[in-house]
């Protein structure tokens, strides 16, 4: 039996430890965090994050071999294995600001481990997405003190996507375990691989060196984001020609070499990972003297910003270049459906742009109320969250769909139209709705990447 501690009870640490605890009943898992409220919520049925199926998994293991605590020193003292899942935001100051990872929480964690660890052999598992070669820095910090513990650092990046965390953890495409290239390192990597081996078939568990493992995570996210920026860039071309982005996505996705996933044109990608990871990757390339490669990846982020800006500019243009005092309603604020997460959502920059034109902005989201209100509080202007979508759209000049929640397909658009200003506009930032039907009802419909349907 091992004592396993996870530092960081966020989107990665919480669900991953719950799944490990479920499948490895012989080991004890303790998830710790400095945030007391978060730990209290993990210990209740009002979990701090929304993930379909998560509560059921937590309930099965909690109190049996899954525990949540604020006592970080004790959890480190007892641990044979320590997962580090603290957040690594983009640096907001100094060298590399806006691009490099801010490693202050991560380094503090490394020093806490060095101070408190007591077991003779301790495996430290890097779970946060970190710049390549961070494991090496972690090793250096851990071997710098007078600790009696022998440490080995393993990289085990998390590939789960929000909203599908439980199926992604239950049946991952692959699990990556990067170990140091020495006897203890290889043994440590095998120990971690064996944990996952409780429910994942062997050939999906890849053992690599530490740097390949770290870099694979950044590259996977960069490649996914690059597909979205590629299709979004083509959606702009489609709007100037007679082509239809939905037809193009379908046609190219049927090429087995390309595949159908991540080809859905959108107002722009968001979430805590994509932009951050591409900027890390780009920064890394710059650091290693590869400015062309750095610029190639940075352009993925530029196209993403261009896409959100294009969406906004189209609203402005269709509203006769004046939004002052006009009510614009956003359907959706989360960066994607089935999550309450709004981090880096394109809705944030869209709202700011609308407010800079003095629009009156009303926002609805079926799940992300708390997070949205938190984001709106930092914005200046006439903006508010409205709990009911019909009320949010009451008297609006335009509705802009930002997040493709299922609920938005099921609304009574005839009823919404009755209470909107005329001409009524609908901008579909996800191509989520039935455009012909809405046009027939009387809306002027502006899809992404195909001709508008207008009565004008
Ligand atoms: C992503 C990775 O998928 C995951 O492997 C990694 O661990 C963390 O980052 P996540 O941020 O949860 O996961 O969301 P994901 O489903 O990948 O979507 C990211 C963004 O891209 C969302 O804003 C989504 O709406 C957008 N998207 C996705 C598109 O605009 N078009 C698509 O075709 C697919």
């Amino acid at each position: 039996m091992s004592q396993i501690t996870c530092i960081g009870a966020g989107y990665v640490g919480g669900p991953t430890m719950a799944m490990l605890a479920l499948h490895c009943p012989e080991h004890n898992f303790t998830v710790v965090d400095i945030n007391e409220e978060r730990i209290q919520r993990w210990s209740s049925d009002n979990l701090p994050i929304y993930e379909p199926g998560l509560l059921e998994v937590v309930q099965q293991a909690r109190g049996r071999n899954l525990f949540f605590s604020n006592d970080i020193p004790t959890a480190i003292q007892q641990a044979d294995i320590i997962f580090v899942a603290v957040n690594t935001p983009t640096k907001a100051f100094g060298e590399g600001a806006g691009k490099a990872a801010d490693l202050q929480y991560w380094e503090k964690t490394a020093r806490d481990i060095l101070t408190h660890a007591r077991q003779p052999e301790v495996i430290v598992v890097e779970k946060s997405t970190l710049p390549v070669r961070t494991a090496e820095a972690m090793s250096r910090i851990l071997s710098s003190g007078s600790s009696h513990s022998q440490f080995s650092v393993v990289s085990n990046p998390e590939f789960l996507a929000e909203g599908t965390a439980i199926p992604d953890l239950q049946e991952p495409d692959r699990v990556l375990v990067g170990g140091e290239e020495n006897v203890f390192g290889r043994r440590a990597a095998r120990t971690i691989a064996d944990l996952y081996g409780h429910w994942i078939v062997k050939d999906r568990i890849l053992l690599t060196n530490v740097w390949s493992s770290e870099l694979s995570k950044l590259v996977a996210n960069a490649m996914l984001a690059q597909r979205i920026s590629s299709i979004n860039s083509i959606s702009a071309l489609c709007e100037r020609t007679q082509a239809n982005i939905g037809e193009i996505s379908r046609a190219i996705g049927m090429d087995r070499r390309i595949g159908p996933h991540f080809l859905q044109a959108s107002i722009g990608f968001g979430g805590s990972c994509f932009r951050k990871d591409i900027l890390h990757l780009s920064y890394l390339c710059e650091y290693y003297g590869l400015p062309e490669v750095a610029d190639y990846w940075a352009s993925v982020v530029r196209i993403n910003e261009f896409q959100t800006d294009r969406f906004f500019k189209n609203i402005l243009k269709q509203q006769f270049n004046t939004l002052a005092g006009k009510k614009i309603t956003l359907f959706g604020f989360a960066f994607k459906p089935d999550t309450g997460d709004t981090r880096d959502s394109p809705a944030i920059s869209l709202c700011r742009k609308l407010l800079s034109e003095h629009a009156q902005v009303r926002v609805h989201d079926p799940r992300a109320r708390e997070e949205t209100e938190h984001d709106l509080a930092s914005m200046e202007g006439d903006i508010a969250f409205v709990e009911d979508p019909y009320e949010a759209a009451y008297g609006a000049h335009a509705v802009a769909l930002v997040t493709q929640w299922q609920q938005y397909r099921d609304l009574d658009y005839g009823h919404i139209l009755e209470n909107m200003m005329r001409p009524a506009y609908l901008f579909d930032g996800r191509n989520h709705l039935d455009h012909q039907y809405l046009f027939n009802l009387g809306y002027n419909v502006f899809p992404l990447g195909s001709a508008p349907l207008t009565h004008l």
Side-chain angles (χ1 to χ4, degrees):
M1 187 191 112
S2 294
Q3 181 59 48
I4 299 171
T5 290
C6 175
I7 304 176
Y11 282 93
V12 169
T16 313
M17 290 308 117
M19 189 58 84
L20 279 165
L22 181 74
H23 289 290
C24 307
E26 74 275 28
H27 301 308
N28 263 341
F29 295 80
T30 304
V31 186
V32 292
D33 201 294
I34 42 172
N35 184 325
E36 280 181 28
E37 191 210 327
R38 190 180 289 177
I39 289 300
Q40 269 165 19
R41 288 183 64 175
W42 277 110
S43 310
S44 76
D45 285 348
N46 178 23
L47 300 183
I49 60 174
Y50 171 70
E51 271 302 331
L54 175 61
L55 182 61
E56 290 74 7
V57 174
V58 170
Q59 281 172 337
Q60 284 182 66
R62 196 169 53 195
R64 178 189 75 182
N65 65 331
L66 175 64
F67 307 93
F68 296 93
S69 160
N70 288 118
D71 187 353
I72 300 177
T74 304
I76 294 176
Q77 270 162 29
Q78 295 170 345
D80 306 297
I81 299 174
I82 301 173
F83 283 85
V84 180
V86 298
N87 60 342
T88 46
T90 306
K91 221 177 153 187
F93 53 87
E95 189 69 15
K99 289 181 183 175
D102 183 345
L103 296 175
Q104 54 176 317
Y105 306 104
W106 172 87
E107 185 172 336
K108 183 178 176 312
T109 304
R111 294 190 190 281
D112 282 351
I113 294 174
L114 184 60
T115 309
H116 299 295
R118 291 289 175 273
Q119 298 304 317
E121 287 189 5
V122 179
I123 302 174
V124 178
V125 188
E126 193 184 82
K127 200 79 194 148
S128 317
T129 306
L130 292 160
V132 179
R133 304 217 141 189
T134 319
E136 194 186 24
M138 174 75 95
S139 274
R140 251 189 275 133
I141 294 176
L142 293 177
S143 57
S144 67
S146 55
S147 173
H148 296 300
S149 303
Q150 188 191 355
F151 297 101
S152 185
V153 180
V154 169
S155 161
N156 170 223
E158 186 47 68
F159 293 99
L160 67 83
E162 285 176 31
T164 54
I166 295 304
D168 290 349
L169 285 165
Q170 182 62 37
E171 216 178 314
D173 289 345
R174 78 314 209 173
V175 171
L176 260 190
V177 184
E180 291 169 331
E181 285 166 318
N182 55 49
V183 177
F184 187 47
R186 276 188 283 272
R187 199 170 72 210
R190 267 199 307 276
T191 302
I192 301 307
D194 287 345
L195 291 177
Y196 291 100
H198 279 67
W199 78 99
I200 296 161
V201 290
K202 253 205 178 118
D203 57 9
R204 291 206 180 178
I205 302 176
L206 306 182
L207 294 171
T208 67
N209 76 35
V210 176
W211 300 326
S212 300
S213 167
E214 290 177 315
L215 189 55
S216 297
K217 173 63 198 275
L218 289 188
V219 175
N221 277 346
M223 296 283 280
L224 290 170
Q226 173 264 320
R227 282 173 71 95
I228 302 168
S229 277
S230 296
I231 207 72
N232 281 345
S233 73
I234 301 301
S235 76
L237 181 61
C238 287
E239 286 168 30
R240 302 261 166 109
T241 62
Q242 301 291 302
N244 178 308
I245 197 65
E247 291 174 355
I248 292 180
S249 293
R250 183 146 181 265
I252 64 167
M254 284 172 78
D255 185 325
R256 269 176 297 174
R257 294 166 302 175
I258 297 174
H261 303 293
F262 276 71
L263 291 178
Q264 176 70 43
S266 66
I267 176 175
F269 57 75
S272 65
C273 291
F274 279 3
R275 190 165 63 96
K276 185 184 74 159
D277 286 354
I278 301 170
L279 293 176
H280 283 176
L281 180 62
S282 176
Y283 184 69
L284 197 73
C285 297
E286 213 173 281
Y287 177 83
Y288 283 104
L290 298 167
E292 292 82 359
V293 185
D295 191 55
Y296 172 72
W297 288 110
S299 74
V300 172
V301 174
R302 286 202 298 273
I303 288 289
N304 197 50
E305 288 164 0
F306 165 74
Q307 184 74 348
T308 310
D309 194 51
R310 231 165 55 70
F311 186 79
F312 157 72
K313 286 202 174 116
N314 195 27
I315 299 178
L316 180 61
K317 182 175 152 208
Q318 300 308 329
Q319 294 295 320
F320 319 106
N321 287 315
T322 170
L323 289 171
K326 288 184 180 165
K327 182 165 170 179
I328 310 294
T329 301
L330 261 63
F331 277 177
F333 199 88
F335 81 97
K336 66 176 193 180
D338 292 326
T339 172
D341 195 351
T342 63
R343 282 178 295 173
D344 228 352
S345 172
I348 297 172
S349 63
L350 177 63
C351 284
R352 289 193 196 281
K353 288 171 198 282
L354 292 168
L355 289 172
S356 74
E357 292 291 333
H358 297 177
Q360 189 188 42
V361 185
R362 293 295 173 264
V363 182
H364 173 266
D365 190 284
R367 183 67 68 168
R369 179 182 188 146
E370 236 175 86
E371 295 81 352
T372 304
E373 283 184 334
H374 177 264
D375 293 333
L376 300 192
S378 66
M379 296 183 193
E380 271 177 35
D382 187 351
I383 187 162
F385 186 90
V386 181
E387 210 170 334
D388 176 67
Y390 296 99
E391 195 191 323
Y394 194 93
H397 290 76
V399 169
L401 186 135
V402 174
T403 317
Q404 68 276 41
W405 289 96
Q406 177 59 38
Q407 179 185 346
Y408 295 137
R409 283 206 171 134
D410 304 334
L411 295 175
D412 180 348
Y413 282 92
H415 178 53
I416 290 176
L417 184 65
E418 277 167 27
N419 297 314
M420 280 180 72
M421 303 298 282
R422 301 304 158 86
Y425 292 80
L426 200 143
F427 297 86
D428 189 348
R430 297 281 180 176
N431 288 342
H432 182 57
L433 304 174
D434 184 338
H435 299 149
Q436 190 62 48
Y437 169 75
L438 292 168
F439 171 73
N440 294 345
L441 282 179
Y443 286 93
N444 296 294
V445 185
F446 290 81
L448 267 182
S450 62
L453 303 170
T454 68
H455 304 277
L456 303 167

